[in-house]
Amino acid sequence: MEFLTVAQFDKRKIADALVVPMWQGPKAPGFAVECKPVHALIQPLITAGDFKGKEGEFAVLYPKGLPEKRIILIGLGEQDKATTEQLRRAYGSLVKGTMGKKIKTLNLLLPEISFLSEDSLVRGVAEGILLANYIFDRHKKDTNKTLLEKVTLIDHGKKVLDIANKALVICEGVYDVRDLVNENADVVTPHYLAQCAKKIGADYPAIKVTVLTKNQIEKEKMGLLLAVNRGSAHDPAFIIMHYKGNPQVHDNTVIIGKGITYDTGGLNLKATQMEIMKCDMAGAAVTMATILTACRLGLPVNLTGVIPATENAIDANSYKVGDIYTSFSGKTVEIGNTDAEGRLILADAVSYACQRLKPTRLIDFATLTGGVDIALGNEATGLMSNDDALADALIRAGSETFERVWRLPLYDEYKEALKSDIADLKNVAGRSASTIRAAIFIKQFIQDDIPWAHFDIASTAFLSEAVRYHPKYATGVGVRLMIDFLEHL
């Protein structure tokens, strides 16, 4: 059964509810779409003042004479302030309201907004519904929540359906990230990530996948990735995914994702929050899902994904604080803290990408520092870049998708704290500007002429509570931003 369909009002099929959008007004709410047969049924509720049309407001009526069992009123907020994000939030609230009511099918009247493009309007509605319509309950025997199974857009045709279905493809990429990040770390090992990538390559011939095993990683002399892996019972994997959507050009966007499938902190054992450290491979999941989604959409771009994958576990063979390890690039690194492992595996990955993959631009995603949460909280992802044009394009994409980013500086003076007396670099420099200095560490392994951007998603990839249309735990942040960015290359 298709999740999204269209139908004319008088030819629609029976659904569990008919959804009617309402604007918040100075005296009373107003209908956001013309549908006189329904308006008369709703008017008594409005006259009584029991529904105001505030953003996210939700009310259920049980009318007679309609095919649907229910009419659901949703508040959109003030009409003159309507934005795509406002629609996402309103329709996300709709889905959260239906989950506990065993509602599986909706007939949906879309609002009419003259100053929003049809694409922006439909995308906001569809994304709000789709992003909220997610539950991770595969390990739970009983659940009182029900996902929507079918949504019919009333009085609209193929163009609107195409826009909504594109949003569905993108949100399926978001689901892929959420599923990977939410799953048990004992399941999502480096080998499991490699198998997921291989399956994508088998299912989508346009995506070519190569996985370097531990022996191959040793031959490549990726000493930092190997060091982090030393305490783990699971071998590392170095995953490379190529998507050629436009083979006639040499442009190649390389996306690198941190793939720490579980992070104990190593010998610098974490004192808190180890229970959420299965999320430390969120950057890897974003990388994999972005390439898959671009392929599903048939985007005319060339992408290469790189995922250095390992656990940062602890045993008698764990890599040691104070020791020095040699990177793929040949630079040596003094270890000041084994819990600053993400930048180490990224250093080997970006060096490999710069030397072997001919990137036009390089973008990495990593749940890298706790400092980014202190600086920005969970409303913005930290962005650092050596290229203004690349940073501006990513900021624009983040604003458009409401996966907002905030650029932090990469002043040369911050590099001083990474100097070592006994190696080329050390991997930590204290708490001050920790997010920036982590990025500057990675920057030392980027060729100067390659535009590079670093996303620290530590505070936005995994939430302790549900926020708007994002569920508790994995959010899938990054996929929608990257698809929008790639579409505007």
Side-chain angles (χ1 to χ4, degrees):
M1 181 174 67
E2 290 182 316
F3 182 80
L4 291 165
T5 62
V6 292
Q8 297 304 304
F9 183 78
D10 57 357
K11 294 181 180 179
R12 70 194 190 279
K13 294 182 179 179
I14 296 173
D16 293 331
L18 175 68
V19 179
V20 181
M22 305 288 293
W23 295 118
Q24 181 180 356
K27 296 182 180 179
F31 296 103
V33 63
E34 183 68 24
C35 189
K36 291 180 181 178
V38 177
H39 294 180
L41 298 170
I42 298 171
Q43 195 61 49
L45 186 72
I46 297 174
T47 303
D50 293 337
F51 188 84
K52 305 295 185 184
K54 295 179 181 179
E55 183 185 307
E57 195 174 358
F58 182 93
V60 182
L61 304 177
Y62 298 88
K64 294 181 180 180
L66 288 180
E68 297 84 5
K69 299 175 184 177
R70 309 165 181 86
I71 293 177
I72 297 177
L73 302 186
I74 60 166
L76 303 182
E78 298 178 35
Q79 183 175 8
D80 58 357
K81 297 180 181 179
T83 63
T84 303
E85 174 61 15
Q86 186 175 330
L87 293 173
R88 284 191 198 101
R89 297 184 184 194
Y91 283 86
S93 295
L94 163 69
V95 173
K96 287 195 283 188
T98 64
M99 278 187 174
K101 298 183 182 297
K102 307 295 182 185
I103 293 173
K104 296 183 179 181
T105 58
L106 295 177
N107 287 333
L108 206 71
L109 295 172
L110 295 182
E112 296 170 351
I113 311 173
S114 60
F115 53 86
L116 275 185
S117 69
E118 189 172 55
D119 182 82
S120 295
L121 188 154
V122 176
R123 188 158 42 87
V125 172
E127 288 180 354
I129 291 171
L130 293 163
L131 291 170
N133 194 47
Y134 175 87
I135 305 170
F136 187 81
D137 61 357
R138 64 184 62 172
H139 300 295
K140 191 172 183 179
K141 184 177 179 180
D142 299 310
T143 180
N144 60 354
K145 293 183 177 180
T146 303
L147 290 175
L148 292 174
E149 296 178 358
K150 185 175 182 179
V151 175
T152 300
L153 309 175
I154 300 300
D155 287 341
H156 288 279
K158 184 179 183 301
K159 182 180 178 182
V160 164
L161 183 60
D162 287 346
I163 297 169
N165 273 324
K166 179 182 175 183
L168 175 60
V169 173
I170 295 170
C171 289
E172 284 173 341
V174 175
Y175 300 160
D176 291 338
V177 176
R178 291 174 179 177
D179 285 347
L180 274 174
V181 175
N182 284 330
E183 186 53 273
N184 289 344
D186 274 344
V187 173
V188 183
T189 61
H191 175 73
Y192 183 90
L193 286 179
Q195 292 304 111
C196 287
K198 288 179 179 179
K199 186 176 186 309
I200 289 171
D203 292 344
Y204 296 87
I207 299 175
K208 308 300 181 185
V209 177
T210 302
V211 177
L212 303 186
T213 63
K214 184 176 182 179
N215 287 339
Q216 292 169 306
I217 293 168
E218 288 172 341
K219 289 179 181 178
E220 292 287 358
K221 298 182 179 180
M222 296 184 186
L224 301 183
L225 174 57
L226 290 165
V228 175
N229 178 252
R230 279 177 45 170
S232 175
H234 299 284
D235 283 351
F238 194 82
I239 304 162
I240 306 167
M241 305 174 71
H242 295 285
Y243 166 65
K244 291 283 188 181
N246 192 358
Q248 287 75 34
V249 301
H250 296 295
D251 189 274
N252 181 30
T253 300
V254 175
I255 309 170
I256 296 179
K258 174 186 172 185
I260 298 292
T261 58
Y262 191 73
D263 183 17
T264 66
L267 291 177
N268 290 109
L269 194 66
K270 289 181 181 292
T272 61
Q273 289 197 307
M274 207 186 295
E275 71 276 8
I276 68 170
M277 282 300 109
K278 64 182 181 180
C279 81
D280 217 13
M281 39 61 66
V286 170
T287 298
M288 199 176 293
T290 298
I291 290 175
L292 176 56
T293 303
C295 180
R296 286 169 172 166
L297 292 172
L299 296 187
V301 296
N302 300 324
L303 301 176
T304 302
V306 178
I307 298 170
T310 179
E311 284 184 339
N312 185 25
I314 183 170
D315 78 353
N317 198 42
S318 294
Y319 78 120
K320 296 173 176 62
V321 184
D323 277 2
I324 299 166
Y325 299 88
T326 303
S327 68
F328 172 86
S329 72
K331 292 180 180 179
T332 56
V333 179
E334 177 191 358
I335 305 303
N337 190 317
T338 61
D339 195 23
E341 84 298 329
R343 66 201 69 181
L344 298 177
I345 68 170
L346 288 173
D348 274 351
V350 300
S351 296
Y352 181 94
C354 290
Q355 291 187 31
R356 303 284 179 81
L357 301 177
K358 299 180 180 179
T360 306
R361 64 198 62 82
L362 197 155
I363 301 167
D364 75 74
F365 285 86
T367 47
L368 207 63
T369 68
V372 76
D373 184 59
I374 295 170
L376 300 175
N378 61 19
E379 291 294 347
T381 291
L383 169 68
M384 286 135 279
S385 179
N386 65 358
D387 186 88
D388 290 343
L390 177 59
D392 289 346
L394 292 167
I395 290 167
R396 183 212 56 78
S399 177
E400 182 68 23
T401 57
F402 213 76
E403 293 193 333
R404 296 173 294 181
V405 300
W406 191 261
R407 190 178 182 185
L408 298 171
L410 291 175
Y411 301 141
D412 288 340
E413 288 78 5
Y414 286 119
K415 181 183 172 183
E416 292 296 310
L418 293 173
K419 287 184 176 179
S420 167
D421 294 330
I422 55 176
D424 295 321
L425 291 164
K426 57 184 178 182
N427 74 327
V428 290
R431 295 183 65 188
S432 177
S434 60
T435 299
I436 295 169
R437 286 189 167 120
I440 287 179
F441 177 88
I442 299 167
K443 185 174 181 285
Q444 306 316 302
F445 299 85
I446 303 288
Q447 291 180 12
D448 290 339
D449 60 338
I450 297 176
W452 160 73
H454 163 66
F455 286 103
D456 192 333
I457 57 173
S459 62
T460 52
F462 201 84
L463 302 178
S464 59
E465 297 295 337
V467 177
R468 297 183 292 275
Y469 39 77
H470 296 301
K472 187 177 180 179
Y473 303 135
T475 64
V477 69
V479 175
R480 293 189 299 119
L481 182 155
M482 281 303 300
I483 294 300
D484 187 278
F485 167 77
L486 293 170
E487 287 182 314
H488 288 83
L489 278 179

